[in-house]
Amino acid sequence: MQWVKICRQSLSSTVNTTLTVALSRHKLIRRSMASDATTRFDFLVIGGGSGGLAGARRAAELGATAAVVESHKLGGTCVSKNVCFWSQVMWNAAVHAEYLHDHSDYGFDGGHVHFSWETIKTKRDAYVSRLNNIYRNNLDKAKIETIQGHARFIDGPDPTVEVNGKKYTAPHILIATGGFPSVLSDSDVPGASLGITSDGFFELESLPKRSVIVGAGYIAVEMAGILSTLGSKTSIICRQTGVLRNFDTLISSNCTKELQNSGIELWKNTQVKLVSKTGNGLLEVTLVTKDPEKKNEEEKIGTIQEVDCLLWAIGREPNTAGLNLSQMGVDIDERGFIVVDEFQNTTRQGIYAVGDVCGKALLTPVAIAAGRKLAHRLFDGKEDAKVDFSNIPTVVFSHPPIGTVGLTEEEAIKNRGKENVKSYKTSFTPMYHAITTRKTQCIMKLVCVGKEEKVVGLHMQGIGCDEMLQGFAVAIKMGATKADFDKTIAIHPTSSEEFVTMR
Amino acid sequence: MAALCRIEWHGIWFVTGTFDYDLVVIGGGSGGLACSKEAAQLGQKVAVLDYVEPSVKGTKWGIGGTCVNVGCIPKKLMHQAALLGTALKDAQKYEQWRPAVQNHVRSLNWGHRVQLQDKEVKYLNVKGSLLDEHTVKGLTRTGKETMLTAKNIVIATGGRPKYPTHIPGAVEHGITSDDIFWLKESPDVALECAGFLTGIGLETTVMVRSIPLRGFDQQMAGLVTDYMEAYGTKFSWRSVPKSVDKLSSGVLQVTWTDEQTGKDQRDTFDSVLWAVGRAPETKTLGLEKVGVKLNKESGKILVAADESTSVPNIYAFGDIGEGRPELTPTAIKAGKLLARRLAGRTNELMNYDNVATTVFTPLEYGCVGLSEEEAESRHGKDSIEVYHAFYKPLEFTVAERDASQCYIKVVCKRGGDQRILGLHFTGPNAGEVTQGFAMGFQCGATLTHLKETVGIHPTCAEELTKVNVSKRSGLDATVTGC
């Protein structure tokens, strides 16, 4: 397929005619050296994170010419901002700190062990730059061009992207620009900018003495857990009555309880009113607490002083600024996320979006799966390829960790009616704690619907739940019923066996 | 509940009225307790007899059987201590830790006693033996006799570690797993059970006659032992012990034959632990007299699919059943189903297939289904596809630990959706990882199911959903990056 296209492009005070020659996608493309020519690919990806890289690499494997535009480091939130790796490493460090408390119970001669945040940060930085290099090498090996810079759409008969003055186009353009932590402006809350977000958390050079985390989602829970367990006196500021309110109520209430048991101070029904810096450089955080149930009660004002770390964990927003989406006919929803259908199509033909920028299931494996499925759909003739967003298993690295897949009990009841839903629950102290003074609980719940008791939701919190979930997720996706669970022989002694022996 | 019974007494049969019990269970271990409690719950009149013959070294324990006292429970606690110890690399006080474990075990003994009482199961601390198909004799430690009659009798006496009695000095100077959890002083060195001993800082050598973990996938067994060797456990392969002598200094001198060279070797150790197999204690049960048939080689009771023996109202299950897996959960489940069948509540038989297990070595190994060798032998090498991956747990990265033995293998039927025949995983928390996959396996999972399931990031378990490279392709199976 060969065609020639002439278009007019206005550039500052000069008028240029741009000539573009496009060749059949199975031949090597010629890239023009002239700065005003548009370079054409089969597949152009904006955003070199989990979703974008997965899509680009799979497309290249399927024979497409591909390029990735990235304005920072390759790897995105998961890798280059080190979120997945770093938060897991810090969680492991915190788990070690917990084990240290148990050592003397297990017969080990204690002695005071000192934790060095600096040591871990140095190791993590070295590891991450290794990963960055691995990502770059993977792209080079796959002959995917990496374009460093910030992308912006410019209109034309075909969607075109401009980066540092150069133009690129493709019949298929994927937006995978991810997201960033939300912040409150100083006009909303005076002094808000004195706080940091999860991005800043990973830049901390040392463990804060006094931490205040604002938020009640999984990020707030994880950050608070890490800081508190490693020795920072920590408070969580919660707008409502507990954390993880979108999770099953069993998890939400249990997690709230475990947080408090571990020594984290939880402020319920509270918001930050103002933040100020005191003479010694530390922060004073002013809070206002109002219980909505007690309408006649006055709101209470409280302060937390000598705070060296105020962390906002109030949500994440999509990275769409500067892309010029409105010009391109790509719709966004009321929160700014790009609207896509089940096949990741946006409202403009030829432009797609995957990952956090779409606002649904903000997880690395989901972005990767969506990127790959799209590549198969576009370049492998698999017209039906799409991600199944139901039954996506997730883990929250709290202390102890939480695992969940499928519907909460409330969602199941809403869907199918209370008479069709049956839940099985259990709680116990894991054997690990048989000889420790410190104790945590393990709680488990199965949500079943219908006469055949199909398992539509599984929720748990306890030691080992992070590694336990994956296998059960496979079975649930296959449509397992309670009877299937019961038929499976237990592995002993483990905590996971409690799922297959529930009454 | 009450039934007419015939009692034989001095060669004459009497119709005396009722039996003392609907069910008498000989053996108060995992299986016996589960069976008796279930039966009692279903309204049967039940008695359970439990008695521990002291080990050669004199070790004995309370109710609960092997699992609670000298198996799963203390083993897992020691394993956890060892994992902590590997991280800490400090000497620790065995004397501090041992009582804590023993207290936990005693609390479990007590818990079982209370449960039996709650469910109105009669518990007798006597050594049971069969007099005839409806009569059990119980003997206390002091020699006092009790007789019980029962409509049905269940034998769940389990097994004990074997001593290689043909090796001079083996019995006098060696110990077994029965003793290791109850020793007053820490054993400085032991053969086998080596993993947790190395972990808590004791110099350990494992002497193996032929192959490790017989019956398990041998590639996986190799990874487990490689890991142990890398972490300080010594292995002496193809070695057959010949004799154990006590020297004047008190240490033990072990002589063995190196099968590769044919030469004899000698070395000294503080302790020798025999872990050469387990065998049932059937000699004193009076089985032959009553006509219960045994497998001559193993000594185990021959059982049918419904756990019945060659004598109509006598049943046997758990470790003592011939061909049964020696695992607590299968004994528990089989015991409960048997109780339900005997009470006429179900016809369901125990399904012994697709049983998942985990070996709690320092690098844990979890598996369900067939080993690669078994799959090859049953289906033919060309009809199976083996997918595998070497992965690195994140927790090993920061600690800069060698993860060369962290590995996954999924053995599938070739073609179509590739039904999973066997699934194998070595790595931290293998027990917790494997249970869910065992469920999927039970439901007939295929490779497509695995790959369509979204991974949980970052965990070790997710690697099972990402497995991609087949052995047949010869490609490098090391996982690289996200």
Side-chain angles (χ1 to χ4, degrees), chain B residues 412-434:
Chain B
C412 305
K413 200 132 190 345
R414 214 172 168 189
D417 277 325
Q418 302 187 86
R419 191 188 162 120
I420 300 174
L421 300 169
L423 190 144
H424 305 264
F425 173 95
T426 46
N429 298 310
E432 302 298 356
V433 170
T434 308

Side-chain angles (χ1 to χ4, degrees), chain A residues 50 57-58 78-79 84-89 92 96 99-100 102-110 113 120 123-124 127 130-131 134-135 138 363-366 368-369 372-373 386-388 390-395 397 404 431-435 444 463-481 484-501 503, chain B residues 30 38 41 67 72-78 80-82 84-88 90-94 96-97 100-101 104 108 199-200 328-330 332-333 336 340 348 350-351 353-358 360 367 394-395 397-400 425 428-446 449-450 452-466 468 480-482:
Chain A
S50 305
R57 287 178 65 191
R58 190 50 62 89
C78 174
V79 171
C84 304
F85 170 75
W86 191 210
S87 58
Q88 175 75 329
V89 165
N92 281 331
H96 274 280
Y99 284 164
L100 282 170
D102 302 332
H103 271 148
S104 58
D105 288 321
Y106 265 91
F108 292 95
D109 242 336
V113 176
I120 271 233
K123 289 198 177 197
R124 150 263 192 176
Y127 180 78
R130 278 208 306 277
L131 274 185
I134 290 174
Y135 274 91
N138 282 339
L363 299 163
T364 293
V366 176
I368 292 176
R372 288 183 182 155
K373 289 275 179 185
K386 60 177 178 173
V387 174
D388 180 1
S390 68
N391 295 322
I392 294 178
T394 70
V395 165
F397 288 94
T404 173
M431 197 172 75
Y432 172 80
H433 285 303
I435 60 178
M444 295 173 163
I463 298 175
C465 287
D466 51 320
E467 292 291 357
M468 232 189 268
L469 181 61
Q470 188 74 86
F472 287 110
V474 174
I476 289 175
K477 206 167 163 73
M478 289 170 67
T481 61
D484 289 322
F485 271 72
D486 295 339
K487 263 192 279 191
T488 306
I489 303 281
I491 300 172
H492 184 73
T494 62
S495 290
S496 58
E497 61 179 305
E498 297 299 323
F499 266 120
V500 298
T501 49
R503 280 201 188 245
Chain B
S30 306
E38 185 77 8
Q41 240 170 288
C67 173
C72 322
I73 304 297
K75 177 265 305 274
K76 185 86 189 275
L77 289 171
M78 281 192 88
Q80 280 163 343
L84 286 178
T86 312
L88 200 54
D90 269 338
Q92 67 301 311
K93 296 208 175 72
Y94 185 83
Q96 265 180 305
W97 165 91
V101 173
H104 177 66
L108 292 176
I200 59 173
T328 290
T330 49
I332 291 176
K333 199 159 194 142
K336 286 184 179 169
R340 283 185 217 150
E348 193 186 335
M350 175 65 188
N351 180 0
D353 292 329
N354 304 335
V355 176
T357 74
T358 296
F360 292 97
C367 61
L394 203 57
E395 49 260 57
T397 314
V398 171
E400 284 160 36
F425 173 95
N429 298 310
E432 302 298 356
V433 170
T434 308
Q435 185 74 86
F437 288 101
M439 250 227 76
F441 186 82
Q442 175 78 13
C443 298
T446 62
H449 285 129
L450 265 191
E452 288 290 308
T453 305
V454 177
I456 303 165
H457 187 70
T459 62
C460 297
E462 68 176 309
E463 298 299 333
L464 277 150
T465 63
K466 289 153 69 180
N468 218 338
T480 52
C482 284

Side-chain angles (χ1 to χ4, degrees), chain B residues 262-280:
Chain B
K263 289 205 174 69
D264 277 0
Q265 308 255 31
R266 197 163 277 166
D267 202 346
T268 52
F269 303 91
D270 292 293
S271 305
V272 170
L273 188 148
W274 300 106
V276 295
R278 294 178 65 83

Side-chain angles (χ1 to χ4, degrees), chain B residues 309-482:
Chain B
T309 65
S310 47
V311 177
N313 66 303
I314 299 182
Y315 300 84
F317 73 98
D319 286 10
I320 204 169
E322 172 64 33
R324 298 295 187 223
E326 290 180 359
L327 297 168
T328 290
T330 49
I332 291 176
K333 199 159 194 142
K336 286 184 179 169
L337 286 173
L338 177 62
R340 283 185 217 150
R341 290 196 302 271
L342 291 177
R345 299 298 178 94
T346 185
N347 288 323
E348 193 186 335
L349 296 176
M350 175 65 188
N351 180 0
Y352 286 98
D353 292 329
N354 304 335
V355 176
T357 74
T358 296
V359 182
F360 292 97
T361 34
L363 185 71
E364 297 179 16
Y365 165 36
C367 61
V368 64
L370 305 177
S371 64
E372 191 177 339
E373 306 86 276
E374 186 66 39
E376 256 183 47
S377 127
R378 281 199 207 183
H379 299 272
K381 202 175 175 131
D382 288 325
S383 298
I384 63 169
E385 196 74 79
V386 182
Y387 294 91
H388 66 155
F390 284 95
Y391 70 97
K392 188 160 188 169
L394 203 57
E395 49 260 57
F396 283 40
T397 314
V398 171
E400 284 160 36
R401 279 165 71 185
D402 180 16
S404 353
Q405 294 89 20
C406 293
Y407 179 75
I408 317 166
K409 184 158 75 169
V410 183
V411 182
C412 305
K413 200 132 190 345
R414 214 172 168 189
D417 277 325
Q418 302 187 86
R419 191 188 162 120
I420 300 174
L421 300 169
L423 190 144
H424 305 264
F425 173 95
T426 46
N429 298 310
E432 302 298 356
V433 170
T434 308
Q435 185 74 86
F437 288 101
M439 250 227 76
F441 186 82
Q442 175 78 13
C443 298
T446 62
L447 189 76
T448 309
H449 285 129
L450 265 191
K451 296 178 84 164
E452 288 290 308
T453 305
V454 177
I456 303 165
H457 187 70
T459 62
C460 297
E462 68 176 309
E463 298 299 333
L464 277 150
T465 63
K466 289 153 69 180
V467 76
N468 218 338
V469 175
S470 68
K471 278 196 177 180
R472 199 185 298 274
S473 69
L475 295 169
D476 179 13
T478 314
V479 169
T480 52
C482 284

Side-chain angles (χ1 to χ4, degrees), chain A residues 454-467:
Chain A
K454 180 168 168 179
V455 178
V456 296
L458 183 151
H459 312 281
M460 56 179 163
Q461 179 169 22
I463 298 175
C465 287
D466 51 320
E467 292 291 357

Side-chain angles (χ1 to χ4, degrees), chain A residues 227-286:
Chain A
L227 289 167
S228 172
T229 318
L230 291 174
S232 178
K233 183 156 163 59
T234 307
S235 307
I236 295 183
I237 315 299
C238 215
R239 251 190 335 201
Q240 299 187 58
T241 53
V243 298
L244 302 181
R245 296 187 49 81
N246 290 332
F247 286 68
D248 187 279
T249 45
L250 184 71
I251 299 288
S252 171
S253 62
N254 194 70
C255 185
T256 305
K257 193 172 69 166
E258 288 283 0
L259 279 175
Q260 290 173 300
N261 284 348
S262 71
I264 294 174
E265 186 189 38
L266 187 62
W267 292 65
K268 299 179 186 177
N269 296 315
T270 305
Q271 296 190 53
V272 176
K273 198 171 151 79
L274 98 99
V275 184
S276 50
K277 201 161 189 166
T278 58
N280 54 11
L282 297 173
L283 303 174
E284 181 176 283
V285 181
T286 307

